[in-house]
Amino acid sequence: DLSDNAFGPDGVRGFEALLKSPVCYTLQELKLNNCGMGIGGGKILAAALKECHRKSSAQGKPLALKVFVAGRNRLENDGATALAEAFGIIGTLEEVHMPQNGINHPGITALAQAFAINPLLKVINLNDNTFTEKGAMAMAETLKALRQIEVINFGDCLVRSKGAVAIADAIKEGLHKLKELNLSFCEIKRDAALTVAEVIEDKAELEKLDLNGNCLGEEGCEQLQEILEGFNMAAVLGSLSDDEGEEEEEDEEEDDEEEEEEEEQEQLKEIGQGEQESLTPKKIIDSQDSTPVPSPPVDIATFLAFPSPEKLLRLGPKCSVMIAQQTDTADVEKVVSTLLRISSVFKDEAPVKTAVHETTDALMRKAFTSATFNSDAFITSLLIHMGLLKSEEKIKAVPSLYGILMTLNHMVQQDYFPKSLAPVLSAFVTKPNRALDSCSFARHMLLQTLHQL
């Protein structure tokens, strides 16, 4: 158990040899929660576990890992996919806890396929990742094959209504040992939530059902309670105090459009990277086997509409000046939006990191030195978009704070940054916040820098 240490990928290299050694052939529990491992650390860890299994199998006693914990580690799709490959080889897992890792449906699907080869699984905790319908469907298929499941925690995973119905179908077919089901804050509508409630009638072991924070509406909440009272199971239902109310059709269409846009960005990103793991969809592999297609030209508007590290680099050395020139710094919202889009592509890799820093510097130097720029309005708007300050208007917070926190860590050290804003930033980044908890390494770095100013 090395949880809650900010050692990052280098720390994983520090105990890589231990994991491969005979000492760990009998390892049963591995806990690496909140360690900032990142994608790189996830891949190193996965390779070490596979090597340990290979060596221990040669000795006639294969590694039989039972508990794996790696929440809050920024593993994302690539890290999760690498670990999924290791899980598929090990096959003895009983508990997997990987909440708050920025995993989208490709990574969730890879994990689902691996979980299906671990028939002893009792606990799956993937809270606060992004399943969407595709990931939820894949996970539902896996649940049909598992017979020992006791705890399912897919809270805050955006499974949505179709995903919830698929999961309900899987529960209906089996899972008689189920004790806890968490599908809270998943944008599930009334009918789908009621479908979930109906399938737990014969789950005698069930102790907790959490459907809080969904879109049931007052009538839906009452119907849900009535169904459970009819089964004499009202006591298992958690609070519904954060119900979002019934969602409008228009909102659902917007969500679907956003999901398609996210998937398009994901595919562009994957194709641009040019390297795929073994569980990569065949279509992309086939396209890489064929004659290379020249990358389409990128302009500032394209980058800002669909930001990616590759697009930023392809804009060339003058991109920082061009973005600053094209941004109206008199418009605070425009500056905040541009900064968030630039910072969203931040990576620890030198070329990307440098490009993000240079572009940020050009934009923010122009803004802060402009006589018409309102610094207080800027920091207020930024905190709202980061989800750290509430607004009267409905503003969607950025999905991950890692990029903006790392970019702010650079910004606050520059001569253009008003030192008067540092205490405000420090106060809000210090406050307890779930979104910040999932970026503990970046948060720690920024607070340390602010403290030293």
Side-chain angles (χ1 to χ4, degrees):
D1 187 352
L2 294 172
S3 297
D4 301 312
N5 289 290
F7 51 66
D10 291 339
V12 185
R13 289 192 187 94
F15 59 82
E16 180 185 11
L18 171 66
L19 282 178
K20 293 177 181 177
S21 73
V23 175
C24 284
Y25 290 178
T26 54
L27 184 67
Q28 292 187 13
E29 298 187 12
L30 180 57
K31 298 179 181 180
L32 303 168
N33 201 54
N34 193 29
C35 295
M37 289 194 290
I39 294 169
K43 287 181 176 179
I44 296 164
L45 177 61
L49 288 171
K50 287 194 285 186
E51 182 68 3
C52 180
H53 187 271
R54 187 187 66 79
K55 286 182 174 178
S56 57
S57 297
Q59 298 287 322
K61 292 182 180 177
L63 170 68
L65 191 67
K66 292 181 180 178
V67 178
F68 180 84
V69 180
R72 298 180 181 177
N73 269 297
R74 296 184 289 107
L75 293 169
E76 299 179 18
N77 288 334
D78 290 352
T81 302
L83 285 165
E85 203 173 309
F87 296 162
I89 292 167
I90 293 166
T92 54
L93 287 165
E94 294 179 14
E95 293 187 25
V96 176
H97 302 262
M98 292 173 68
Q100 294 185 1
N101 269 299
I103 308 168
N104 298 330
H105 72 80
I108 296 296
T109 301
L111 287 170
Q113 290 167 352
F115 292 165
I117 315 168
N118 284 264
L120 303 176
L121 263 175
K122 294 178 183 175
V123 178
I124 302 176
N125 176 6
L126 294 173
N127 190 287
D128 201 5
N129 289 293
T130 308
F131 282 42
T132 63
E133 187 185 325
K134 288 185 179 179
M137 293 291 191
M139 199 57 74
E141 277 305 306
T142 286
L143 290 174
K144 290 176 184 177
L146 300 174
R147 290 285 171 265
Q148 306 301 319
I149 288 289
E150 294 178 5
V151 177
I152 297 171
N153 186 344
F154 297 159
D156 214 358
C157 283
L158 206 66
V159 304
R160 296 211 175 108
S161 296
K162 288 180 183 175
V165 170
I167 290 166
D169 286 344
I171 293 169
K172 188 177 183 178
E173 289 185 22
L175 304 191
H176 294 292
K177 295 184 180 181
L178 189 65
K179 291 181 179 176
E180 186 177 325
L181 175 61
N182 184 347
L183 293 175
S184 60
F185 299 93
C186 279
E187 294 190 6
I188 300 168
K189 294 189 178 178
R190 179 177 62 179
D191 290 350
L194 298 181
T195 301
V196 172
E198 283 162 0
V199 301
I200 65 164
E201 181 180 4
D202 61 343
K203 308 302 173 218
E205 303 284 316
L206 194 74
E207 295 168 5
K208 185 180 179 184
L209 172 64
D210 192 347
L211 288 168
N212 198 14
N214 286 301
C215 311
L216 280 68
E218 194 175 333
E219 191 181 327
C221 290
E222 288 172 5
Q223 287 176 312
L224 182 65
Q225 286 163 336
E226 283 170 14
I227 288 171
L228 293 172
E229 281 168 9
F231 301 155
N232 200 23
M233 294 176 78
V236 305
L237 183 63
S239 168
L240 296 172
S241 59
D242 293 317
D243 187 73
E244 296 284 345
E246 288 198 78
E247 200 176 59
E248 299 294 325
E249 287 298 319
E250 199 176 307
D251 290 345
E252 187 180 14
E253 283 170 22
E254 281 175 18
D255 288 339
D256 290 342
E257 282 170 21
E258 277 174 27
E259 192 176 323
E260 283 170 21
E261 200 173 283
E262 283 166 16
E263 286 174 17
E264 188 180 320
Q265 280 180 260
E266 193 67 37
Q267 285 175 345
L268 285 168
K269 184 178 167 187
E270 285 174 355
I271 293 165
Q273 282 171 340
E275 65 172 62
Q276 299 293 320
E277 299 300 318
S278 60
L279 291 170
T280 302
K282 188 175 184 299
K283 187 167 66 175
I284 296 176
I285 293 174
D286 290 345
S287 73
Q288 288 173 343
D289 290 341
S290 57
T291 312
V293 178
S295 300
V298 175
D299 57 19
I300 301 294
T302 307
F303 166 71
L304 291 175
F306 301 104
S308 75
E310 294 74 28
K311 287 199 191 90
L312 182 62
L313 294 175
R314 273 164 46 204
L315 282 170
K318 292 183 180 177
C319 74
S320 56
V321 179
M322 292 192 298
I323 289 176
Q325 283 174 347
Q326 291 187 29
T327 306
D328 178 10
T329 50
D331 186 340
V332 167
E333 286 299 318
K334 191 70 69 68
V335 174
V336 169
S337 171
T338 305
L339 174 63
L340 288 169
R341 286 171 184 275
I342 294 164
S343 64
S344 71
V345 307
F346 180 91
K347 278 187 174 182
D348 291 317
E349 296 163 12
V352 178
K353 191 181 192 175
T354 304
V356 169
H357 286 173
E358 287 176 354
T359 312
T360 300
D361 288 343
L363 172 68
M364 297 316 301
R365 191 181 297 281
K366 179 188 173 189
F368 283 125
T369 53
S370 166
T372 57
F373 188 68
N374 187 332
S375 299
D376 292 335
F378 164 78
I379 202 73
T380 301
S381 176
L382 182 62
L383 290 167
I384 288 169
H385 283 277
M386 289 172 71
L388 306 183
L389 184 62
K390 285 188 176 177
S391 168
E392 289 179 10
E393 297 171 32
K394 193 176 178 184
I395 291 174
K396 197 170 184 180
V398 290
S400 169
L401 294 181
Y402 178 72
I404 186 61
L405 289 172
M406 294 301 280
T407 304
L408 282 168
N409 186 49
H410 167 80
M411 258 175 68
V412 299
Q413 298 176 64
Q414 308 311 307
D415 56 3
Y416 60 73
F417 187 81
K419 296 296 179 270
S420 61
L421 298 183
V424 181
L425 195 54
S426 181
F428 280 92
V429 176
T430 306
K431 282 172 70 176
N433 185 287
R434 195 164 62 175
L436 286 169
D437 289 342
S438 61
C439 305
S440 56
F441 175 72
R443 179 194 209 173
H444 174 73
M445 293 278 287
L446 176 57
L447 287 174
Q448 202 171 34
T449 303
L450 288 166
H451 184 68
Q452 290 167 359
L453 289 177

